[in-house]
Amino acid sequence: MPMSPEFENRLYPVVAKIAAHYGTPFHIYDEAGIRQTGHTLARAFAGIDGFREYFAVKALPNPRILAIMREMGFGFDCSSIAELELSRRIGARGEEIMFTSNNTAPEEFLEASRDGGCILNLDDISLVPKVPEFPELISFRYNPGPRRTGNAIIGNPVEAKYGLAHDQVIQAYRRAIDRGAHRFGIHTMVVSNERNYRSMVQTVAMLFELIEEVSAAHGIRFEFMNMGGGLGIPYLPEDAPLDLDALAAEVTALFARFREKNGYSPRLYMESGRLMTGPHGALVVTAINRKEIYRTYIGVDACMSALMRPGMYGAYHHITVPAKRSLPPAAPVDVVGSLCENNDKFAIQRDLPAVADGDILVIHDTGAHGHAMGFNYNGRLRPKELLLRTDGSVELIRRAETLEDHFATLRFTADRVAF
Ligand SMILES: *Cc1c(COP(=O)(O)O)cnc(C)c1O
């Protein structure tokens, strides 16, 4: 099921007023829903000592959202300098931040070590000597390769550019120890948008095996394992949600078993983005054109710059027309933006009630990897972001981009150097 009935009940009665006040298009995020998911997650894993969610900043990099995560006691999973800076600007420090970069540049290591540092999660063994000041706490990202199958969005691990190969793991920790590390973690992320909880249970079991191998080789203990993000949400009406309770129960049992066998257990970290905010955001647009050619096209006032997932992954995003919810579906339509790309479609051959110019459409589940993934191709600008607060008020948390923003990096007069 796409966005929750509770979010629908909070949004639909006021969506026309919000649209009239702020103008469409906008993404709107549901604070109550985000908090509820946060509490559900924390409660589900309460049986594991030191469980912590590190919100994947790239899913929804807005300081007002990050502040809510921090209030819930969550840390931040960052993978760029901008994400580190954003997390620190809202007050996160040290081990509240996990930095998981890929193809890491020297500037990124410098930024990671500033302001009290963060948990460094290295993507490759070749990076060990490249870390300028090696931290006492180190983690490596593991890529299981042919041992696991991955899934559609993240790809097959053998072809994925992330992480250490299996036969490099022991050597990687050896080199880290030689550089002075004496506290350890391990990380992996094998799937993306996966609703089959069993695959995450397998991931945790796999990390425990690896921890035992590395611990035996070097006589060390692990402070944490980070099982990654990738917990899926139902985008299609017929999709079943991830069974979080079953996941938590089986993972908690694995932790108990490890503790029995080894006399201690590491903490469990998770870095969910999509699960935390995906269903709690919607893109609100207005229909501006209706075009009848070989198909019927409903043109709306947003495009791929606001939401790439349909064009990029062929992803399904449910769409409703709040004012016409009681009407039966008319003939199928494509809901499109105005970008000069034929994959600039929010929906293809979708059954919607008869949409007329001026109707407000709500595109569901845009709270993660939505606005954040938008791009400016074709000079199309990204829309504003709003936050629907728990008390029913609405906050502007990011204004829309302007042409000034878009032209800010251009030189309209020559800026020439002779070589
Ligand atoms: C993108 C990403 C996540 C978050 O993925 P979700 O599918 O949003 O849960 C977590 N960890 C890493 C390293 C990532 O790259």
Side-chain angles (χ1 to χ4, degrees):
M1 190 176 64
M3 71 194 257
S4 70
E6 292 81 6
F7 184 18
E8 291 192 307
N9 290 338
R10 284 189 280 271
L11 180 63
Y12 292 170
V14 289
V15 71
K17 281 194 215 159
I18 299 172
H21 182 82
Y22 290 102
T24 58
F26 56 81
H27 287 271
I28 187 163
Y29 309 116
D30 179 33
E31 179 185 7
I34 293 171
R35 288 188 184 276
Q36 199 192 335
T37 296
H39 293 143
T40 303
L41 188 67
R43 205 175 327 113
F45 287 95
I48 298 174
D49 264 356
F51 169 77
R52 189 175 216 181
E53 151 77 354
Y54 284 76
F55 177 65
V57 173
K58 78 170 190 281
L60 184 43
N62 186 297
R64 300 291 296 134
I65 301 295
L66 299 192
I68 294 172
M69 299 298 171
R70 191 145 188 266
E71 272 176 39
M72 293 193 291
F74 297 164
F76 300 107
D77 168 51
C78 300
S79 53
S80 69
I81 289 177
E83 291 172 3
L84 281 169
E85 175 70 22
L86 200 52
S87 304
R88 287 180 179 142
R89 281 211 204 174
I90 64 140
R93 288 290 179 275
E95 292 176 26
E96 287 175 84
I97 301 173
M98 181 126 179
F99 185 61
T100 295
S101 59
N102 172 257
N103 183 29
T104 313
E107 314 80 87
E108 294 183 285
F109 284 128
L110 284 179
E111 182 65 25
S113 66
R114 273 189 36 215
D115 281 344
C118 59
I119 304 177
L120 196 58
N121 186 34
L122 289 182
D123 189 67
D124 191 50
I125 192 166
S126 68
L127 295 173
V128 174
K130 293 184 177 174
V131 180
E133 287 168 63
F134 210 84
E136 60 170 36
L137 171 60
I138 195 74
S139 173
F140 286 96
R141 181 172 187 160
Y142 170 59
N143 178 336
R147 289 166 177 78
R148 297 292 295 279
T149 51
N151 73 0
I153 290 189
I154 207 161
N156 177 352
V158 174
E159 296 164 7
K161 65 174 185 161
Y162 311 106
L164 299 172
H166 189 88
D167 63 4
Q168 297 172 320
V169 174
I170 288 185
Q171 187 64 15
Y173 283 90
R174 176 76 259 154
R175 292 191 191 168
I177 293 165
D178 291 345
R179 287 213 60 191
H182 57 89
R183 299 172 57 204
F184 306 96
I186 190 151
H187 168 270
T188 197
M189 177 152 165
V190 184
V191 292
S192 183
N193 192 29
E194 179 59 66
R195 286 175 296 109
N196 177 0
Y197 80 91
R198 289 190 178 83
S199 98
M200 283 101 191
V201 175
Q202 275 176 32
T203 293
V204 170
M206 170 187 86
L207 288 179
F208 271 134
E209 271 180 39
L210 206 57
I211 283 178
E212 288 184 344
E213 249 182 79
V214 179
S215 299
H218 301 314
I220 60 175
R221 281 186 174 203
F222 278 76
E223 286 192 19
F224 69 83
M225 82 155 65
N226 183 335
M227 63 185 276
L231 280 68
I233 60 168
Y235 285 97
L236 278 86
E238 61 268 31
D239 282 347
L242 175 92
D243 189 343
L244 196 64
D245 289 333
L247 171 64
E250 292 189 25
V251 167
T252 304
L254 288 177
F255 271 72
R257 200 176 316 151
F258 183 93
R259 178 184 288 275
E260 240 166 63
K261 192 166 155 200
N262 297 278
Y264 86 103
S265 71
R267 293 192 289 271
L268 175 64
Y269 293 166
M270 176 185 284
E271 46 190 29
S272 279
R274 192 186 315 271
L275 182 85
M276 278 304 307
T277 57
H280 309 306
L283 174 61
V284 177
V285 301
T286 302
I288 57 170
N289 289 299
R290 183 186 176 93
K291 171 172 177 172
E292 315 267 1
I293 48 170
Y294 308 104
R295 283 183 179 181
T296 300
Y297 294 94
I298 302 298
V300 299
D301 59 356
C303 67
M304 283 176 91
S305 68
L307 181 67
M308 294 275 286
R309 298 190 71 260
M312 190 152 154
Y313 307 117
Y316 179 97
H317 280 262
H318 199 59
I319 298 181
T320 43
V321 188
K324 296 184 170 171
R325 286 180 83 200
S326 52
L327 301 184
V333 295
D334 285 12
V335 178
V336 302
S338 32
L339 209 95
C340 291
E341 274 293 338
N342 196 42
N343 58 356
D344 181 26
K345 295 184 176 184
F346 292 115
I348 295 173
Q349 294 298 283
R350 186 73 57 84
D351 288 327
L352 291 179
V355 175
D357 287 4
D359 281 348
I360 289 175
L361 275 63
V362 173
I363 303 175
H364 295 220
D365 305 315
T366 68
H369 314 295
H371 185 285
M373 220 189 248
F375 69 155
N376 287 129
Y377 185 52
N378 219 189
R380 295 291 170 184
L381 305 175
R382 280 174 288 239
K384 56 184 79 86
E385 294 180 292
L386 306 177
L387 179 62
L388 177 60
R389 301 297 310 265
T390 306
D391 67 5
S393 62
V394 174
E395 262 182 46
L396 177 70
I397 60 172
R398 185 199 296 265
R399 66 163 172 78
E401 286 176 338
T402 63
L403 275 185
E404 289 286 283
D405 297 330
H406 188 57
F407 291 160
T409 52
L410 296 174
R411 295 283 179 273
F412 283 90
T413 52
D415 181 5
R416 189 176 344 178
V417 180
F419 294 100

